[in-house]
Amino acid sequence: MELITMSPRRKITDGAVRTGVVISVLLAILPLGWLLWTLVSRGIEPILDPEWWMESERKGGAANAIVGTLVQTGLAAVVAVPLGVLVGIYLVEYGSARSTLTRVTTFMVDVLAGVPSIVAALFVYAVWRTTLDLPRSGLVVALALVLLMVPLVVRATEEMLKIVPQDLREAAYALGVPKWKTILRVVLPTAMSGIITGIMLAIARVMGESAPILILVGATSGMNWNPFQGDQQSLPLMMIQEYNKGPSGYDEVWGAALTLVIAVAIVYVIARLLAQFTGPKIEGR
Amino acid sequence: MSEAGQANRPVPPSGRPGAKELSSSGVARTGDRVMRTLATGSGLIVSTVIGLIALFLLIQAIPSLLKNQENFFTFEGSWVVSGDELHFGIPQQFYATVLVSVIALIIAMPVALGIAMFVTEYAPKRLKKPVAYVVDLLAAVPSIVYGLWGILVLGPAMVGINQWLVDNAGFLPFFSKPQNAANMSTGGTMLTAGIVLAIMILPVITAVTREVFAQTPRGHREAALALGASQWEVVRFAVLPFGFSGYISGAMLGLGRALGETMALLLIISTAGPINFNLLESGQTFATVIANNAAEFDDPLKTGAFISAGLVLFALTFIVNAAARAVIARKA
């Protein structure tokens, strides 16, 4: 039952806005669907071949690129995750809003979060290649990825630690538990599921980063497990290379793109699962 | 260290009445010192590294800028970056960067607003989460995949539209016949690039807007409803006034992302174009000009020229992001 009768004009405006809102949702879903359909329809053929996963590019596969992507991302995570989590702990547990270092750190993390990936790559280039004159390698890419990953991890940790109730900490202190142990045994576990989700999302983010790869490492069609020496392929790099070959390489390009998206999707799924298993159990489950 | 010592002593209650933080655990141990040092050290490291970014880029850019024979901010010719006499300038890159970002914003802003309104106001309960999730998924796709899709799928699909625009709207400066005829057959235009960028920044804008809209005080909303407002009027008089600044700052965060985007644009537009308003031209942004020439970074002077372009990009994104943060901070 409608209590108030609306003038036709108001009714029309209301209806028009409602339509507009629904259209905008469709406008977002359309490209996503189109993109996914293209990816699957064009990329499925190469990746269904077991050779794609087992052999290096020299033998018609993409295993070298997959390995490179995983090694570089993994290396970046090994550095960025502890660093980012510690900075988050510093900001929430040790820093006070008044101290200069806290404010500077918050500001700097904000700045870093806004740095375009190509600028981060240029910085690593300026330090590693121009100043230290060291060779290109997978490690150098990982260093650039660290720069891109740290702010994401810091943000996630900070947000999660902030919502851990103060009472929990105080209860631990009241029992005489030292602060560091309180953080490690009480605060971190409580926030763990959120932090892990944040970390996984950060990993997924940097996995597809392609700007640093252009500057900091050379391509190779052979297998190279060692990020510290020599050229190392990765999926984005493989895509660029095959794309530059022209239409003959498009099958590989779409195959590599689909592989990359699948890899990102797997990380996302792991993030969700971990969040479910490590989350605080509520409602007596 | 004196601060650490103080923190470990219990604060007398009379000292700071009502102080909420309980900053001490009462017991000082080695573990405490290790943990504090680690955490504080990490904060210091990160801050230092970011300071170093600006410093290093500046140090590397200065020699090239000094050798530059042209005015860095006005020289429009093609770059000469080898030898002792350098000629380079950024107006073309600046123009292309800003133009594609503006196209992206013009497309993405209304759509993001609509999605945020849908998720917070209009959607039936069981649709809210899936729609929000789908939009977030857009952010998970790597930018190189967007670029590939843009040049191999969207670009060709745009060819007919581009032709139609030239034939029927060619009198407008935006849609006149491009100087580079290849643009018409590949669809690798500023317009295509702008559309792809819009899709890429949509999740950022939507996420921020959604969050602020959801925080609209219940009272405002109910007051509007009590006066007999239609759903649109609730949005217009309660949600929008409250959440508008959040929407703007979300858009600026999206703009910051668009300015620095590299790979997608490198694949879609990568040949230098003229400075005019034509959306069907090609162009090189700061990021793509750096990435395009990365293979030839063999000489510090040459590298420095591109680093100076990177520095301008750094400054540009910094200003935009700082503005976005300022808007958020004023609201909070």
Side-chain angles (χ1 to χ4, degrees):
Chain A
M1 182 180 67
E2 205 150 348
L3 289 174
I4 296 152
T5 44
M6 273 196 269
S7 68
R9 216 187 115 191
R10 287 178 63 206
K11 232 178 208 163
I12 291 168
T13 321
D14 194 44
V17 173
R18 187 179 298 265
T19 321
V21 163
V22 173
I23 287 176
S24 57
V25 172
L26 295 180
L27 275 180
I29 294 177
L30 176 83
L32 183 68
W34 190 0
L35 182 76
L36 290 180
W37 186 79
T38 318
L39 259 181
V40 174
S41 65
R42 298 205 191 174
I44 194 82
E45 210 172 307
I47 75 162
L48 279 183
D49 188 349
E51 265 193 6
W52 178 266
W53 304 93
M54 312 295 295
E55 300 288 351
S56 71
E57 268 175 90
R58 250 176 222 152
K59 294 165 191 152
N64 58 333
I66 298 169
V67 164
T69 296
L70 295 181
V71 168
Q72 288 165 16
T73 315
L75 200 58
V78 167
V79 182
V81 169
L83 192 63
V85 170
L86 278 172
V87 175
I89 291 178
Y90 167 72
L91 287 178
V92 179
E93 304 292 330
Y94 288 102
S96 75
R98 272 155 293 147
S99 92
T100 323
L101 181 60
T102 312
R103 267 181 299 159
V104 169
T105 309
T106 313
F107 174 75
M108 287 300 193
V109 169
D110 272 346
V111 172
L112 193 56
V115 167
S117 53
I118 189 85
V119 174
L122 267 185
F123 163 66
V124 175
Y125 188 92
V127 175
W128 194 265
R129 298 275 298 137
T130 322
T131 311
L132 300 176
D133 203 20
L134 294 166
R136 301 175 187 221
S137 66
L139 170 74
V140 196
V141 174
L143 288 180
L145 295 185
V146 167
L147 287 181
L148 300 171
M149 212 172 147
V150 162
L152 300 173
V153 178
V154 173
R155 286 259 175 86
T157 312
E158 204 187 342
E159 297 286 307
M160 288 303 133
L161 290 185
K162 264 187 194 157
I163 57 176
V164 172
Q166 197 62 32
D167 298 357
L168 272 181
R169 298 185 182 96
E170 285 169 13
Y173 296 155
L175 293 172
V177 181
K179 184 162 183 166
W180 68 277
K181 230 176 200 172
T182 309
I183 294 172
L184 282 184
R185 293 284 172 80
V186 178
V187 179
L188 274 185
T190 313
M192 193 49 87
S193 78
I195 295 178
I196 289 180
T197 313
I199 289 172
M200 295 310 272
L201 295 185
I203 291 176
R205 242 306 167 41
V206 301
M207 203 173 225
E209 257 322 323
S210 30
I213 285 159
L214 283 174
I215 306 186
L216 299 171
V217 71
T220 164
S221 57
M223 181 67 88
N224 180 9
W225 282 89
N226 186 355
F228 301 99
Q229 204 172 41
D231 295 338
Q232 192 176 38
Q233 192 78 325
S234 56
L235 287 167
L237 193 52
M238 175 179 170
M239 288 166 69
I240 299 162
Q241 271 203 308
E242 296 290 338
Y243 173 79
N244 287 338
K245 282 184 193 163
S248 66
Y250 285 180
D251 268 359
E252 279 78 19
V253 174
W254 287 109
L258 183 57
T259 315
L260 184 58
V261 169
I262 290 175
V264 171
I266 291 175
V267 176
Y268 264 76
V269 170
I270 295 177
R272 296 221 122 198
L273 291 180
L274 282 179
Q276 243 166 36
F277 288 125
T278 55
K281 305 283 178 284
I282 34 171
E283 290 164 29
R285 263 199 300 148
Chain B
M1 229 41 238
S2 68
E3 200 193 297
Q6 261 172 17
N8 285 326
R9 222 169 291 137
V11 182
S14 59
R16 281 189 303 156
K20 260 204 310 209
E21 286 172 62
L22 195 72
S23 54
S24 78
S25 64
V27 197
R29 309 238 170 118
T30 327
D32 270 332
R33 240 173 291 140
V34 171
M35 189 79 184
R36 170 178 276 272
T37 315
L38 271 179
T40 316
S42 304
L44 264 175
I45 288 176
V46 170
S47 302
T48 318
V49 165
I50 298 155
L52 283 179
I53 294 186
L55 189 70
F56 259 94
L57 293 181
L58 213 58
I59 290 175
Q60 309 253 316
I62 286 173
S64 308
L65 285 172
L66 289 178
K67 285 256 166 73
N68 191 3
Q69 306 293 308
E70 314 282 346
N71 186 333
F72 183 58
F73 294 102
T74 55
F75 176 67
E76 291 181 24
S78 47
W79 288 32
V80 180
V81 286
S82 41
D84 250 0
E85 299 213 333
L86 307 183
H87 301 266
F88 62 97
I90 52 163
Q92 267 182 332
Q93 285 71 29
F94 186 85
Y95 155 78
T97 308
V98 171
L99 180 67
V100 280
S101 307
V102 167
I103 302 174
L105 268 191
I106 290 176
I107 300 172
M109 275 181 74
V111 178
L113 182 66
I115 298 171
M117 276 164 60
F118 181 80
V119 172
T120 55
E121 309 295 322
Y122 285 85
K125 226 174 184 163
R126 67 202 152 79
L127 271 187
K128 281 185 187 198
K129 275 214 165 153
V131 169
Y133 189 67
V134 163
V135 176
D136 285 343
L137 270 188
L138 281 174
V141 178
S143 65
I144 186 169
V145 177
Y146 275 115
L148 198 60
W149 179 76
I151 192 61
L152 291 182
V153 181
L154 184 65
M158 293 283 292
V159 168
I161 299 172
N162 290 344
Q163 191 60 54
W164 186 87
L165 284 172
V166 169
D167 292 344
N168 294 287
F171 57 88
L172 292 170
F174 315 111
F175 302 123
S176 51
K177 207 166 166 46
Q179 290 177 15
N180 183 356
N183 291 353
M184 292 305 282
S185 55
T186 58
T189 62
M190 299 289 239
L191 183 60
T192 311
I195 294 173
V196 171
L197 264 191
I199 300 171
M200 295 175 69
I201 63 173
L202 189 63
V204 186
I205 309 181
T206 312
V208 177
T209 313
R210 210 170 63 201
E211 215 140 281
V212 233
F213 279 11
Q215 285 167 6
T216 311
R218 243 189 127 76
H220 291 195
R221 216 178 287 233
E222 281 166 5
L225 282 172
L227 290 171
S230 66
Q231 193 137 32
W232 159 239
E233 284 156 353
V234 172
V235 173
R236 172 132 191 249
F237 295 111
V239 179
L240 278 186
F242 179 81
F244 196 73
S245 63
Y247 172 51
I248 295 300
S249 66
M252 301 196 80
L253 286 181
L255 178 61
R257 178 73 56 82
L259 291 173
E261 175 48 42
T262 312
M263 261 336 282
L265 295 185
L266 182 61
L267 289 176
I268 300 170
I269 45 167
S270 55
T271 43
I275 302 185
N276 56 28
F277 287 109
N278 195 344
L279 303 188
L280 303 180
E281 291 287 2
S282 198
Q284 282 185 324
T285 69
F286 286 116
T288 63
V289 83
I290 298 166
N292 230 348
N293 294 284
E296 296 159 31
F297 285 4
D298 44 16
D299 168 69
L301 270 183
K302 191 189 262 185
T303 316
F306 291 101
I307 286 181
S308 59
L311 213 52
V312 178
L313 176 61
F314 187 29
L316 205 59
T317 49
F318 177 79
I319 292 168
V320 169
N321 285 314
R325 275 200 309 277
V327 175
I328 296 176
R330 212 174 35 190
K331 183 81 201 167

